[in-house]
Every structure is written in structure tokens, then in C-alpha cells.
Amino acid sequence: MTNQIRCAVLGLGRLGYFHAKHLMSEVQGAQLTAVCDPMRGRAEEAAKEFGISKWSENPCELLEDDSIDAVIIVTPTSTHAEMIIKAAENGKHIFVEKPLTLSLAESKEVMKKIKETGVICQVGFMRRFDPAYADAKKRIDAGEIGKPIYYKGFTRDYGSPPAEFIKHSGGLFIDCSIHDYDIARYLMNAEVTSVSGHGRILKHPFMEECGDVDQALTYLEFDSGAAGDVEASRNSPYGHDIRAEIIGTTGAILVGTLRNRHVTVLTEAGSSYDIIPDFQTRFKDAYRLELEHFAACVQKGETPIVTEVDAAINLEIGIAATDSFRTGKPVKLTKGSSYAGI
Ligand SMILES: NC(=O)c1ccc[n+]([C@@H]2O[C@H](COP(=O)([O-])OP(=O)(O)OC[C@H]3O[C@@H](n4cnc5c(N)ncnc54)[C@H](O)[C@@H]3O)[C@@H](O)[C@H]2O)c1
């Protein structure tokens, strides 16, 4: 293996193109070697833009290529299980976007394969690398707010991705709230034991034909005795709004802001500032830092701070929230970190 981890990005959509662009110039320890997307012309065009010679419309071609050390899987969620298994069988280290898979059966299969083949797997829960959330984590672990007893988080997307994305996403709890489930477990140092999910279509009628909602709320209970709630929305009319509050026994930490820049404009009409427009802007640093962490883990043969095991636990919470929303009853969870033994 060279000093730089040679990466192939599979899937060049909203996020894959962004990861590829990052790997071209900004990620220390990794380099973009190849790109893949089945959409005619997409990979070739991107390869030309990035100045690399290797591209394909067939992921299998790159998975079998010896000049590639690792794959960055940014394909639709419904394809993750197949991609991960093929990548592991070909000895490629894996960075895969969240959610890990769409079902627990697939997650278990994937975890088994990763364990058998010994490849490193990191999952794209980038909030753990965001400087604000990472600072909150340090302070909570240092005891600055006492014992964490309540987590409140919300993720309000500026509009919705298209129906084609929603259909393959697993639904709002699994696709979107899963970021809050992950960061809540991480910040609260606790596992979720009970989940109640609620949801409704408020703004996007096409959600009905996708079997999804555009507004959701999850109430969580943790094995530490703590509780929390998580809002997810595809309905923000003002920008991309991601914030969290962690209440402790002796203090609280608030994470996130609406402000895109530290500039406030004052006129006769009042004051205004730019709001963060999208997830690529909000988490630019986190997306770079998570890939640098992945490259460092591959170089040193170390386990990343967020693996397929965390991702399976997060998925189980998302599935429980979806089930609870459909049945109107809370769902108890007992497995938690027992996935580690798979
Ligand atoms: N971590 C985050 O904040 C975050 C944000 C957005 C999306 N995501 C995740 O990233 C993944 C992709 O999301 P997106 O919004 O970029 O989707 P997208 O629909 O914009 O892009 C997906 C791309 O994958 C390509 N593709 C489809 N099948 C493929 C295959 N077999 N091999 C290679 N490429 C294939 C498509 O042609 C498309 O270009 C999803 O799992 C999603 O949940 C994560």
C-alpha cells in the first residue's frame, strides 16, 4: 500500500461527487484514483474534471482492480449491502455512507462478511467529526455539564430530495433521524432502550406514493435513565437547520447555529444574516475530517470511531421508530451494543 490510500468513489450523486471532489485536493492521507457511476457519461465526465484516468460504469470492474485500496460507497442505500459484500470479498477497505443497509438481516450479513475478511469499515456518521459536535463530546466526557439526562436534536432539510431518492432511502426515520440517533448515543454515552415514532405528511404529497412522511418525531429512552427527542423535517422553508441541546445535571450544551457567516446586515428594514443553505455547506469540514480519519485508520490498521456495529445499532433504532409510527405503539430495544459480538 502506498502512503496515500488509493480510493474509488462509487456513486457520483449529490454526496458522492462532493466526496470525490474532497478526495482530489483536501483529504490528507487519501487520494482519488477512480470513480464509478452507472449513469451514462457521469463517471467519464467526472474523471475528466478530476484529471484521473480510471473510471467505470460498472462498480465490479473497480472492486476487482488491484490498484485500489479502498472504496467510498455513496450509492443509493438500497445498494449498500451488495456493494459492501463485494468490496469486502475483494479485500477493499470500506467507507460507506449511512444508513448501512435497509434491513437488519442485510446488516448482519454485512457485519459477518466484514469480520470474516478483516477489512476496515467506517460508516458516514459525519456529525462525530463536526468540530461543534466533537467539542460537545469532549466537554460532556470531561463532566462539564454533569450527567447527560436529555438529548434534543433536530434536522430540518431545506426542501426534499426527489421521489426517486426517497423511494430507496428507507424513509425519514432511517434516512434522516438516524444521524441524530447516532450522535445522541455518542454524546449521551448510552444505548437506546425504547422508541416512539410519530410522523405526518405536511408539505410534499408525493411522500404518500413513496410510503414516507416529510415530518417526524422520535421519543427516545436510554439505558442510562436519560431521555430525548429527535425531530426530522423535509419542510424547512429557510435553510438547512441542524441543532442539538444536551441537558446535563449541572449544565447544558447547545450545538449548532443558523448562521452561515459571522456577518449581520443592519438596515432600516431590520437586521439579517445568511442562513446555512445545505448539508454540504454545514458539514464541509466534517466530511473532510471523517475521510481523513478513515485514511488514518486504514494506514495504521486501527478501528474507526464509527463502524458497521454502530451503524447497525442506529439502523435498529430507525426501524423501531418506523414500526412504532406505523403501529402507534412504542418499541422496546434490547440488543444495543450486543451487535459487536456478530
Ligand atoms: N452523510 C450524509 O450527510 C448524507 C447526505 C446525503 C446522502 N447520504 C447518503 O449517501 C448515499 C447517496 O445519496 P445521494 O444523495 O448522493 O444520492 P443520489 O441519488 O444523488 O446519487 C446516487 C448516485 O449513485 C449512482 N448509482 C446508482 N447505483 C449505482 C451502482 N450500482 N454503482 C455505482 N453508482 C450507482 C446513481 O447513478 C447516482 O449518481 C445514500 O445512502 C444517502 O443516504 C448521506
Side-chain angles (χ1 to χ4, degrees):
M1 201 179 290
T2 60
N3 276 340
Q4 297 275 312
I5 304 301
R6 298 163 302 178
C7 298
V9 171
L10 311 182
L12 293 165
R14 283 189 313 163
L15 187 56
Y17 174 79
F18 191 75
H19 278 324
K21 220 169 156 188
H22 255 158
L23 280 164
M24 260 325 284
S25 50
E26 296 190 39
V27 178
Q28 279 185 27
Q31 70 184 48
L32 183 70
T33 303
V35 287
C36 173
D37 198 297
M39 205 187 289
R40 184 71 9 125
R42 183 92 181 101
E44 185 178 10
E45 213 176 279
K48 223 180 262 167
E49 178 189 337
F50 298 137
I52 55 174
S53 57
K54 209 166 269 187
W55 59 271
S56 176
E57 288 173 2
N58 175 5
C60 293
E61 233 174 72
L62 299 184
L63 290 171
E64 287 161 12
D65 188 321
D66 286 342
S67 70
I68 290 163
D69 304 313
V71 288
I72 314 297
I73 300 173
V74 207
T75 55
T77 304
S78 52
T79 66
H80 287 183
E82 184 196 345
M83 296 284 163
I84 297 168
I85 287 170
K86 281 190 186 148
E89 281 171 347
N90 283 287
K92 306 297 179 211
H93 299 293
I94 299 161
F95 177 96
V96 58
E97 264 309 326
K98 51 47 69 178
L100 183 64
T101 66
L102 284 182
S103 76
L104 290 178
E106 278 179 340
S107 279
K108 282 181 187 163
E109 204 187 330
V110 154
M111 283 192 282
K112 228 172 119 203
K113 185 61 76 179
I114 291 168
K115 202 168 182 185
E116 264 166 35
T117 53
V119 296
I120 285 168
C121 178
Q122 183 178 326
V123 186
F125 288 102
M126 76 295 179
R127 286 190 197 179
R128 295 191 185 208
F129 300 89
D130 174 70
Y133 282 101
D135 187 44
K137 171 73 176 162
K138 256 193 220 144
R139 290 173 184 277
I140 292 167
D141 287 355
E144 287 189 31
I145 61 165
K147 183 178 180 228
I149 52 174
Y150 201 84
Y151 174 88
K152 181 181 276 294
F154 60 80
T155 298
R156 295 185 188 145
D157 258 346
Y158 185 43
S160 172
E164 201 41 41
F165 175 90
I166 299 289
K167 280 180 196 160
H168 299 278
S169 70
L172 191 56
F173 296 98
I174 290 171
D175 180 58
C176 190
S177 293
I178 204 160
H179 279 298
D180 275 292
Y181 305 150
D182 180 68
I183 202 73
R185 293 176 47 242
Y186 187 56
L187 294 177
M188 305 294 283
N189 289 312
E191 293 297 346
V192 172
T193 53
S194 173
V195 178
S196 297
H198 307 268
R200 207 157 200 201
I201 300 171
L202 301 183
K203 202 171 169 184
H204 298 94
F206 74 83
M207 292 286 169
E208 179 97 51
E209 82 199 47
C210 302
D212 201 2
V213 290
D214 56 19
Q215 187 78 37
L217 183 74
T218 316
Y219 178 74
L220 304 167
E221 289 175 355
F222 296 89
D223 58 4
S224 60
D229 68 81
V230 166
E231 178 199 324
S233 167
R234 308 275 196 204
N235 302 325
S236 166
Y238 52 86
H240 188 66
D241 190 1
I242 310 244
R243 284 176 279 156
E245 296 178 0
I246 304 92
I247 314 295
T249 47
T250 61
I253 293 180
L254 314 185
V255 179
T257 169
L258 278 170
R259 281 173 190 267
N260 196 19
R261 298 182 193 87
H262 296 290
V263 172
T264 306
V265 181
L266 306 173
T267 68
E268 275 186 343
S271 74
S272 67
Y273 55 84
D274 285 354
I275 295 176
I276 294 165
D278 48 36
F279 63 83
Q280 293 94 334
T281 307
R282 170 64 184 85
F283 289 110
K284 187 175 190 300
D285 290 339
Y287 289 130
R288 174 179 54 79
L289 291 167
E290 68 177 351
L291 288 175
E292 286 183 355
H293 178 71
F294 173 64
C297 287
V298 171
Q299 289 282 7
K300 297 180 202 152
E302 288 175 1
T303 305
I305 67 164
V306 58
T307 65
E308 69 282 4
V309 176
D310 284 298
I313 296 170
N314 299 335
L315 178 66
E316 187 177 29
I317 301 167
I319 290 173
T322 310
D323 287 349
S324 165
F325 156 62
R326 291 196 177 130
T327 62
K329 292 182 186 151
V331 175
K332 300 268 176 226
L333 296 177
T334 49
K335 290 194 184 111
S337 54
S338 69
Y339 280 120
I342 282 182

